[in-house]
Amino acid sequence: MSRTSVKSSIFPAVFGQGRSIPLKQGLLSKKSDHSWMSGEWVPKYVTLTGEGLLVYYPSLSDYLDSAGGKEIRLHTATVRIPGQNPDGVQCGVVVDKEEDHEDGETLNIKSDRHSDRNIFEIISLSQQRWIFECRSRDERDEWVRIIGSEIKACLQGPCSGVEGDVLSRVLDPGIGNNVCVDCGDDDPEWASVNHGIVMCIECSGIHRNLGSHVSQVRSLFLDCLSEEQITRLTTVGNYSFNQEREADLGRSFKPSPRDDREVKQKFIVRKYRDCWNFSNAKDNMK
C-alpha cells in the first residue's frame, strides 16, 4: 500500500463509506490533558493518515462517527520513546492495574509517570507533548516506526528548489536571515525548519546534537525543502525569533563567530533547550 491513504469501498461498515483508511489505527491510552502530572491515563482511539496527520478520538464509535477527534500535525513534530538510549535499552516499568474499556479492550494503566516501557511521545516545535501508552513493547515500537516514517516523508516532502528567487527570500536581510541566528556569522547555509531560522554550519552541528524534537536541521543547498518549510523560514526569520527567544535569556552572553565551539554550545543549549521550563510544556499541551 502506498503512503497516501486510499478510500474504502470494500469495508464501509468498518471504515465508513468513503473514509480514508489510516496507515495505522488502534486503541491506546493517552495521558490526560488536565491531570497529566498525576499520571491519569484515558483510553483513546488513534488513527494515522498518509497526510502527516494523527487524530485521536474518545472511542472507536466516535471515530466511526467522525466526532470529537483532536488532530496532531506531524510536519513540525518528532516522535520518541522516553528514556531510551541510543542502543535501545529500555527503562523498567511497573503496571499497577488493568481497566476494561467499554469497547471490550483491556488496557494497562500506569501510575508511575516516569515509567516508559510501553510509552511513546510526540513533541511539537513549541514543546507541546502528547504521551501515549501501548499494551506491549512491540505495539509501541510499531507506532513509533510508522509515525517516524510519516514525519520523515513530510520533511522530505515535494521539493521546492531552494535557489534563485526562493533562496533570496529565505536569506532576506530584512528578516535577519543573512547571518547565523546564534553567533551572527555571515552567509548561513543551514536551517532549523521547525523554528524557521537559518544558521552557520558550526551552530547547525550543535543544533543536531540537541535532538530533532528540539531542532530539525536541514541544508539550504543540499536538502529538499517543502513549501511549508520555505514559508516558515520566510515568515518567522532570525530577527523575530531572537526578539522573543533571547528575551528569556536575560543577560546571557551571546557568542560571536570567533568564539570557541564550547562557548556557542553553552549558549545554544540554554537558548533552545533549557529555557523551555516545565510550566511552559504543561500549558502548551493539547
Side-chain angles (χ1 to χ4, degrees):
M1 182 183 295
S2 65
R3 191 178 73 85
T4 304
S5 299
V6 298
K7 297 295 182 181
S8 169
S9 60
I10 302 176
F11 304 112
V14 176
F15 296 105
Q17 188 67 40
R19 183 188 298 274
S20 294
I21 300 177
L23 298 174
K24 187 168 181 60
Q25 60 185 320
L27 190 67
L28 304 178
S29 293
K30 178 183 175 293
K31 185 164 283 190
S32 172
D33 297 343
H34 303 293
S35 58
W36 67 290
M37 290 180 61
S38 65
E40 180 181 350
W41 296 86
V42 180
K44 301 290 182 181
Y45 195 81
V46 184
T47 67
L48 173 66
T49 69
E51 291 78 33
L53 189 65
L54 185 143
V55 187
Y56 57 92
Y57 299 85
S59 66
L60 173 59
S61 61
D62 287 306
Y63 163 64
L64 295 175
D65 292 337
S66 298
K70 294 186 178 181
E71 298 181 350
I72 303 174
R73 298 195 174 273
L74 301 175
H75 299 76
T76 54
T78 190
V79 62
R80 69 174 186 175
I81 300 171
Q84 185 179 67
N85 66 27
D87 295 325
V89 177
Q90 304 299 316
C91 300
V93 64
V94 176
V95 178
D96 292 324
K97 61 180 180 179
E98 293 186 344
E99 290 185 1
D100 292 327
H101 185 249
E102 60 185 2
D103 292 329
E105 299 280 357
T106 299
L107 299 174
N108 290 330
I109 308 297
K110 296 181 178 66
S111 64
D112 183 357
R113 66 185 180 92
H114 298 292
S115 299
D116 60 0
R117 180 177 175 181
N118 300 324
I119 291 173
F120 69 89
E121 62 180 344
I122 299 172
I123 308 172
S124 75
L125 65 93
S126 60
Q127 299 301 293
Q128 294 175 339
R129 294 171 183 261
W130 298 266
I131 305 175
F132 295 94
E133 181 187 23
C134 303
R135 290 162 294 182
S136 70
R137 181 179 298 186
D138 289 343
E139 182 185 22
R140 179 207 62 190
D141 291 347
E142 180 69 5
W143 273 102
V144 170
R145 182 188 68 80
I146 294 179
I147 293 173
S149 296
E150 187 62 22
I151 291 173
K152 183 177 180 180
C154 292
L155 289 172
Q156 293 176 342
C159 186
S160 59
V162 187
E163 56 185 15
D165 292 340
V166 176
L167 184 61
S168 297
R169 289 192 292 112
V170 169
L171 297 178
D172 180 10
I175 57 175
N177 283 7
N178 58 322
V179 297
C180 174
V181 68
D182 295 319
C183 74
D185 199 4
D186 293 329
D187 303 320
E189 298 182 357
W190 296 81
S192 175
V193 294
N194 58 325
H195 290 300
I197 54 178
V198 297
M199 65 197 67
C200 67
I201 187 170
E202 185 170 45
C203 289
S204 74
I206 300 172
H207 274 250
R208 286 188 184 275
N209 290 336
L210 296 177
S212 60
H213 62 290
V214 177
S215 187
Q216 297 169 357
V217 180
R218 296 292 182 271
S219 170
L220 294 176
F221 299 95
L222 300 177
D223 291 327
C224 183
L225 304 186
S226 69
E227 289 290 347
E228 181 177 350
Q229 292 163 354
I230 294 294
T231 299
R232 182 172 293 276
L233 291 170
T234 56
T235 56
V236 178
N238 291 357
Y239 180 74
S240 296
F241 181 84
N242 279 342
Q243 272 195 316
E244 179 177 349
R245 182 59 63 93
E246 293 184 359
D248 296 332
L249 299 179
R251 297 183 179 181
S252 178
F253 174 74
K254 182 165 183 172
S256 72
R258 298 179 298 275
D259 283 313
D260 293 336
R261 179 183 174 91
E262 290 74 16
V263 174
K264 296 177 182 178
Q265 180 170 333
K266 183 177 180 180
F267 174 80
I268 290 172
V269 167
R270 175 170 170 76
K271 179 178 177 180
Y272 294 90
R273 190 179 68 189
D274 295 348
C275 70
W276 288 100
N277 58 39
F278 186 77
S279 61
N280 284 338
K282 176 186 174 184
D283 291 341
N284 284 323
M285 287 191 69
K286 286 186 177 180

